[in-house]
């Protein structure tokens, strides 16, 4: 009988101890959650906003006989930091240009040579130059799409940018983040006699 009681009492103590530990763990989780929530509400961290403001395309010609694309395009961008409390370090930005799903050029927009800190609520310009020639194996369907774009005088060019940034709040700086930006552009060919204007295009910023 005594044996049974002792055993029973010990197992209850064990249960109570676990009960208290469990309550502490739950309280800690709630506390950490609250701290995060308050941080989020006060700082309201957001990514930058990205636009293509100018596109000057002076050459875009595909020759099916040697499968070569000759191109010359300058893009001007703006990056806006909408944050009230955070500044952004742009450490590295690389732009890749695609036509008909094929990458034809890339350009280092920001390197360690021109990396910079963008203060809160401000806008900064960036630009990319794509110039040269590239062998692309376009199929018949893609070539006819090219000819269609050519007759319209504007090309569906897709630009993807790989970022390497850090946020700064007061004196503390975050680790590196690598958002990707995607821009679907319709770029008119700038040839003498035609004045089709490029429309400022908003890009998608993905985490
Ligand atoms: C078109 O090209 C000409 C000469 O290269 C340049 O002066 C002009 O600014 C360009 N227009 C646009 C809209 O980019
Ligand atoms: C491809 O062919 C076109 C026209 O035949 C020519 O103008 C161009 O220079 C050629 N490109 C290369 C890289 O050979
Ligand atoms: C594009 O950016 C470059 C360099 O920042 C600048 O010199 C040029 O005037 C800009 N072009 C247009 C059309 O805004």
């Amino acid at each position: 009988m005594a044996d049974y009681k002792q055993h029973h009492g010990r197992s209850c103590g064990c249960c109570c101890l676990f009960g208290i530990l469990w309550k502490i763990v739950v309280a800690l989780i709630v506390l950490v959650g609250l701290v995060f929530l308050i941080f989020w509400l006060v700082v309201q961290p957001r990514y930058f906003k990205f636009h293509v403001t100018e596109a000057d395309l002076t050459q875009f010609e595909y020759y099916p006989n040697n499968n070569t694309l000759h191109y010359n395009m300058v893009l001007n961008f703006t990056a806006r930091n909408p944050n009230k409390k955070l500044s952004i370090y742009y450490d590295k930005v690389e732009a890749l240009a695609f036509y008909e799903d094929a990458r034809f050029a890339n350009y280092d927009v920001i390197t360690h040579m021109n990396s910079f800190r963008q203060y809160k609520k401000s806008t900064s310009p960036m630009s990319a130059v794509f110039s040269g020639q590239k062998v692309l194996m376009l199929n018949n369907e893609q070539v006819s799409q090219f000819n269609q774009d050519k007759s319209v005088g504007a090309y569906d060019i897709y630009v993807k940018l790989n970022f390497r940034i850090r946020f700064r709040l007061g004196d503390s700086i975050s680790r590196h983040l690598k958002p990707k930006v995607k821009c679907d552009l319709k770029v008119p060919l700038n040839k003498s006699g035609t004045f089709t204007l490029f429309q400022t295009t908003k890009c998608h910023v993905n985490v």
Side-chain angles (χ1 to χ4, degrees):
M1 238 1 211
D3 218 31
Y4 168 77
K5 246 184 184 165
Q6 206 178 2
H7 181 77
H8 187 76
R10 200 163 53 218
S11 95
C12 176
C14 199
C15 275
C16 294
L17 192 61
F18 272 122
I20 290 166
L21 273 178
W22 180 243
K23 277 176 193 156
I24 291 173
V25 167
V26 169
L28 275 177
I29 290 172
V30 170
L31 193 68
V32 168
L34 267 179
V35 168
F36 256 103
L37 185 67
I38 290 167
F39 171 82
W40 211 260
L41 288 177
V42 170
V43 176
Q44 294 182 348
R46 277 185 292 166
Y47 271 116
F48 53 89
K49 298 199 187 318
F50 204 75
H51 287 86
V52 182
T53 53
E54 296 285 346
D56 192 10
L57 182 68
T58 48
Q59 188 185 27
F60 204 76
E61 191 59 68
Y62 183 71
Y63 300 103
N65 62 317
N66 50 21
N67 298 306
T68 308
L69 178 74
H70 291 239
Y71 57 89
N72 191 348
M73 176 172 75
V74 180
L75 297 180
N76 282 11
F77 312 109
T78 57
R80 173 156 183 82
N81 177 4
N83 289 293
K84 292 193 210 91
K85 298 218 159 45
L86 300 170
S87 56
I88 300 176
Y89 288 101
Y90 293 91
D91 292 318
K92 198 168 175 232
V93 179
E94 176 192 36
L96 312 173
F98 296 80
Y99 183 72
E100 291 292 314
D101 296 332
R103 181 169 61 86
F104 63 88
N106 46 329
Y107 185 80
D108 289 327
V109 178
I110 302 285
T111 64
H112 67 279
M113 303 291 287
N114 59 348
S115 59
F116 67 100
R117 176 181 176 181
Q118 183 181 47
Y119 289 88
K120 56 193 181 184
K121 290 270 171 204
S122 64
T123 304
S124 312
M126 294 182 193
S127 62
V129 180
F130 303 97
S131 171
Q133 57 198 44
K134 172 87 176 165
V135 174
L136 290 184
M137 296 300 168
L138 299 188
N139 61 31
N140 288 343
E141 204 179 310
Q142 291 169 320
V143 171
S144 73
Q145 183 62 51
F146 173 83
N147 288 327
Q148 200 179 318
D149 282 1
K150 188 177 175 177
S151 66
V152 171
Y155 299 86
D156 287 315
I157 293 171
Y158 170 70
V159 175
K160 186 175 152 191
L161 298 107
N162 296 322
F163 279 73
R164 206 172 143 86
I165 63 168
R166 287 168 299 160
F167 285 104
R168 177 167 176 159
L169 175 67
D171 285 335
S172 51
I173 300 174
S174 76
R175 66 187 169 85
H176 277 107
L177 298 164
K178 294 177 178 174
K180 295 194 187 319
V181 170
K182 292 170 180 176
C183 314
D184 272 310
L185 307 177
K186 197 161 205 63
V187 187
L189 186 68
N190 177 1
K191 53 175 189 249
S192 53
T194 61
F195 284 101
T196 328
L197 276 179
F198 174 76
Q199 303 279 327
T200 292
T201 307
K202 187 182 198 322
C203 303
H204 296 281
V205 181
N206 296 338
V207 182

